[in-house]
Amino acid sequence: MSTYLIGDVHGCYDELRALLKQVSFNPEQDILWLTGDLVARGPGSLDVLRYVKSLGDSVRLVLGNHDLHLLAVYAGISRNKPKDRLTPLLEADDADELINWLRRQPLLQVDEEKKLVMGHAGITPQWDIETAKKCAREVESVISSDSYPLFLNAMYGDMPNNWSEALSGLARLRFSTNALTRMRFCFPNGQLDMICKDAPDSALPPLKPWFNIAGPVAREYTIVFGHWASLEGKGTPEGIIGLDTGCCWGGSLTLLHWEEQRYYVQASNRQSTLAEKVPPQQSAS
């Protein structure tokens, strides 16, 4: 059995299937991990969801911010933006089935045997692993419930941006959602900055990429994340792995074969809007 981890697919169905063909992925014996943002921007969001859903227990994924946005659009809370290219999915005969499957997926994956953790945006340095699991389960419980549109209507916003166990209700859920699906930069104390989207070397002090602030989870686990295409899979500390290499922007889709510690790359079918990509070179240990 092999474990394969792939960065943000963003509707790039053809590239996903080509990348899995490179490694002879066999869903009957292999496990596929996906960093979230399955949909939006690429042309094949409907095909991606249908395929990933068909994999059943062979896939372990986390929801990303674009996946949550799709849920909000389908619930009539957010606008369907043409650039997201979601209309074929929204109008599909099996859209309701796919949406209900999607909203029952997790925001966090933890493998204690491999000491591996995956969140779409990463893990805030303010959390230990038990807090991360608890907060993820709280959000998942609401999204999978019949009252999920109420949460989706309230999830947009940048505050609160500092973790406290005293947080409750929608404020607590919003912080957890932002930390797991939108986070990039933090202040030195771990407080989230939800405004800056610059490349890591362009952000003004005192902001730092979340992965450059010591946290308890990174001391015990390898952390795998997506979300940050401009990183191009580079520049993270040992034991923290960014797999989003901007396929939907003309970059590439990147896969890590966990057992072999080997990277595979599938170039985008779209005209490049980013610099030419190369496989990330950091250690996955």
Side-chain angles (χ1 to χ4, degrees):
M1 184 186 82
S2 292
T3 306
Y4 301 115
L5 300 97
I6 294 181
D8 300 18
V9 177
H10 272 299
C12 297
Y13 174 73
D14 291 340
E15 292 89 338
L16 173 64
R17 295 304 301 270
L19 185 55
L20 291 173
K21 185 176 180 180
Q22 282 193 49
V23 296
S24 301
F25 170 67
N26 181 352
E28 294 185 1
Q29 61 186 31
D30 300 328
I31 300 295
L32 176 63
W33 289 51
L34 298 169
T35 64
D37 277 0
L38 300 178
V39 303
R41 306 301 171 90
S45 292
L46 174 59
D47 290 332
V48 168
L49 284 195
R50 284 173 172 168
Y51 175 66
V52 174
K53 180 176 179 291
S54 75
L55 295 177
D57 293 338
S58 298
V59 68
R60 295 182 67 171
L61 64 90
V62 293
L63 296 177
N65 53 305
H66 282 274
D67 304 315
L68 294 178
H69 181 67
L70 167 63
L71 299 181
V73 170
Y74 196 75
I77 293 163
S78 295
R79 182 170 59 90
N80 178 21
K81 303 173 184 176
K83 66 180 180 180
D84 285 334
R85 307 170 80 173
L86 292 173
T87 298
L89 194 167
L90 296 168
E91 295 180 350
D93 291 341
D94 55 346
D96 194 57
E97 178 184 347
L98 292 170
I99 292 295
N100 283 323
W101 167 80
L102 188 67
R103 68 184 182 89
R104 288 174 170 82
Q105 302 309 306
L107 276 78
L108 183 73
Q109 293 282 359
V110 180
D111 188 313
E112 289 293 348
E113 180 180 346
K114 294 180 174 65
K115 303 304 288 184
L116 179 63
V117 174
M118 185 171 70
H120 174 65
I123 306 295
T124 170
Q126 293 188 320
W127 283 348
D128 58 24
I129 191 62
E130 293 305 321
T131 302
K133 290 192 290 187
K134 178 172 64 175
C135 290
R137 299 296 97 82
E138 289 169 354
V139 178
E140 293 161 10
S141 178
V142 175
I143 295 174
S144 63
S145 73
D146 291 340
S147 60
Y148 79 99
L150 298 176
F151 163 71
L152 294 174
N153 192 43
M155 77 173 175
Y156 293 101
D158 297 338
M159 300 299 288
N161 65 345
N162 197 40
W163 170 249
S164 168
E165 188 60 52
L167 287 175
S168 62
L170 289 173
R172 183 181 177 101
L173 294 172
R174 188 183 301 116
F175 177 90
S176 298
T177 303
N178 285 341
L180 288 164
T181 69
R182 293 181 58 210
M183 173 183 67
R184 287 188 176 92
F185 290 97
C186 294
F187 293 93
N189 66 353
Q191 178 178 324
L192 306 182
D193 174 81
M194 303 306 302
I195 298 174
C196 183
K197 297 183 179 180
D198 296 339
D201 57 358
S202 301
L204 297 176
L207 295 181
K208 297 181 178 182
W210 66 268
F211 48 74
N212 284 339
I213 300 173
V217 176
R219 290 194 290 267
E220 301 180 50
Y221 298 82
T222 296
I223 301 175
V224 175
F225 70 103
H227 184 57
W228 204 340
S230 64
L231 291 176
E232 301 181 19
K234 305 171 187 176
T236 56
E238 183 175 354
I240 300 182
I241 303 170
L243 286 179
D244 184 4
T245 45
C247 189
C248 69
W249 305 110
S252 59
L253 196 61
T254 295
L255 175 150
L256 169 62
H257 185 166
W258 180 257
E259 288 76 18
E260 294 183 356
Q261 298 294 283
R262 180 181 175 186
Y263 289 92
Y264 296 78
V265 171
Q266 180 67 40
S268 172
N269 293 338
R270 276 154 292 288
Q271 183 177 359
S272 180
T273 55
L274 292 173
E276 184 178 356
K277 301 296 183 299
V278 296
Q281 299 299 315
Q282 72 265 42
S283 170
S285 62

